[in-house]
Amino acid sequence: MLDKLEMFIAVATERHFGRAAESLGITQPSLSTGIKHLEEQLGVQLVFRGSRYGGLTPEGQAALVWARQIVRDARQLKEEMRFARHGLAGQLRIAVIPTALTWAATLSSGFARRHPNVRFSVLSRNSGEILAMLENLEIDAGISYLDNEPMGRVSTEPLYEEDCMLVCAASSRFAGRPTVGWHELAGERLCLLTADMQNRRIVNRNLEAVGVEPVAAIESNSTVVLVANVLSGDWLTVLPRDMAAFLAGGKPLEIIPLTGPRSTAHQVGLVAPYRAPHTPVLTALLAEARQIRRHV
């Protein structure tokens, strides 16, 4: 039944039979047959369907919770047995908020030195997508904000505290300043992350707290695009300290702390499914995050 449960989870995640089949590397007829066989085995209809996917039935919603649990347990069993025979091995899938990608590199490189048989897949996603991917078993862990928005039932391990920095050209009127107030960004040409990014919501709240309308003439989900615009014209952007330093290094740019009533640091860390115990690989990854935190 396990392969059919994975098909069911894929359909619930993708909400489309074609995309679900593609994600599993099988044909759509094979997927449809697998779902029908699962429904026959369970004695209930799981999916509303006519010419296309129509959502989960009430029984399907309840079955999805069990399906995720069963598949998660089966994967953990396989990993435990592999660990018993070969030590830590396999692949870790991690999704990371764009502003924390440098920290993902720190985490993965340190982990790889200690456990060379583990491979990494690192994706850039926003915080909402990370939580959804964890729930749908699409990733093993994430790096996201820990203290800014509801996270649900997950295991967490703090990595660092994020503070906001203004990134401007060396020719900017702000260049050379020890600090810049959030209120001074009123009327400036801002390029910022898109509204679906939690970092952008933090920036918006800081601006609104000092009476500045949080409007950006250029928006992007890429921090590289933001810094490229600052380099190419009279633009300003706001990024966390580490990402700003990484992208601005060696370029005619300046990084200046932003000050104001809401200029508080936000905690960012590793997020993993809540389980007791964790898989051996996740246990080692959480330990790696703790080790990094001690040296920050």
Side-chain angles (χ1 to χ4, degrees):
M1 185 185 286
L2 192 60
D3 59 339
K4 298 180 181 65
L5 291 175
E6 297 223 23
M7 292 179 189
F8 176 51
I9 292 171
V11 169
T13 300
E14 298 292 341
R15 301 180 181 181
H16 188 278
F17 283 97
R19 289 195 299 269
E22 185 178 355
S23 72
L24 294 170
I26 61 176
T27 64
Q28 188 168 332
S30 296
L31 176 72
S32 297
T33 299
I35 297 296
K36 287 178 182 177
H37 285 169
L38 180 62
E39 290 177 326
E40 290 169 2
Q41 286 179 285
L42 297 177
V44 294
Q45 182 179 352
L46 300 174
V47 182
F48 290 120
R49 54 188 177 273
S51 58
R52 62 182 65 186
Y53 173 79
L56 299 183
T57 65
E59 294 82 3
Q61 293 285 355
L64 181 61
V65 176
W66 284 100
R68 286 169 173 161
Q69 182 66 50
I70 292 167
V71 171
R72 190 180 291 118
D73 287 345
R75 291 179 182 178
Q76 181 160 357
L77 173 61
K78 289 179 182 178
E79 188 174 320
E80 292 278 2
M81 297 303 98
R82 184 172 60 234
F83 174 69
R85 295 191 63 183
H86 307 293
L88 288 184
Q91 184 172 29
L92 263 173
R93 304 162 301 163
I94 299 180
V96 185
I97 55 174
T99 53
L101 287 169
T102 54
W103 286 86
T106 300
L107 181 67
S108 59
S109 61
F111 189 92
R113 283 193 296 271
R114 292 178 176 80
H115 310 288
N117 293 325
V118 177
R119 305 184 311 277
F120 273 82
S121 172
V122 180
L123 304 172
S124 177
R125 296 289 188 270
N126 67 42
S127 57
E129 289 171 328
I130 290 172
L131 293 179
M133 292 174 80
L134 280 173
E135 184 178 9
N136 292 325
L137 312 182
E138 297 173 88
I139 55 173
D140 303 299
I143 298 178
S144 187
Y145 293 94
L146 304 184
D147 60 357
N148 198 47
E149 293 183 359
M151 301 209 51
R153 199 162 181 255
V154 293
S155 297
T156 61
E157 195 64 53
L159 282 170
Y160 68 98
E161 290 187 343
E162 177 188 276
D163 50 0
C164 292
M165 310 292 287
L166 178 70
V167 182
C168 65
S171 58
S172 169
R173 69 185 184 91
F174 294 116
R177 295 264 300 273
T179 62
V180 172
W182 284 98
H183 66 280
E184 296 181 79
L185 300 185
E188 296 291 335
R189 301 176 74 201
L190 298 177
C191 51
L192 300 172
L193 288 169
T194 49
D196 62 317
M197 298 289 174
Q198 196 169 157
N199 176 267
R200 173 61 184 278
R201 295 194 285 276
I202 292 171
V203 170
N204 285 356
R205 285 195 289 271
N206 277 287
L207 291 170
E208 290 166 349
V210 294
V212 177
E213 187 178 0
V215 175
I218 296 176
E219 295 182 332
S220 176
N221 62 359
S222 167
T223 55
V224 173
V225 170
L226 302 184
V227 172
N229 275 282
V230 175
L231 273 171
S232 64
D234 190 22
W235 294 92
L236 304 172
T237 194
V238 178
L239 291 173
R241 183 186 301 273
D242 290 283
M243 180 56 72
F246 176 76
L247 292 174
K251 301 178 181 68
L253 298 172
E254 293 203 14
I255 302 169
I256 306 169
L258 283 159
T259 61
R262 292 186 63 107
S263 295
T264 56
H266 293 273
Q267 201 168 62
V268 177
L270 188 68
V271 182
Y274 183 84
R275 293 184 66 79
H278 286 295
T279 64
V281 172
L282 269 183
T283 298
L285 188 68
L286 288 161
E288 184 72 28
R290 283 193 294 274
Q291 186 72 12
I292 291 172
R293 177 65 175 176
R294 290 191 192 104
H295 291 90
V296 172

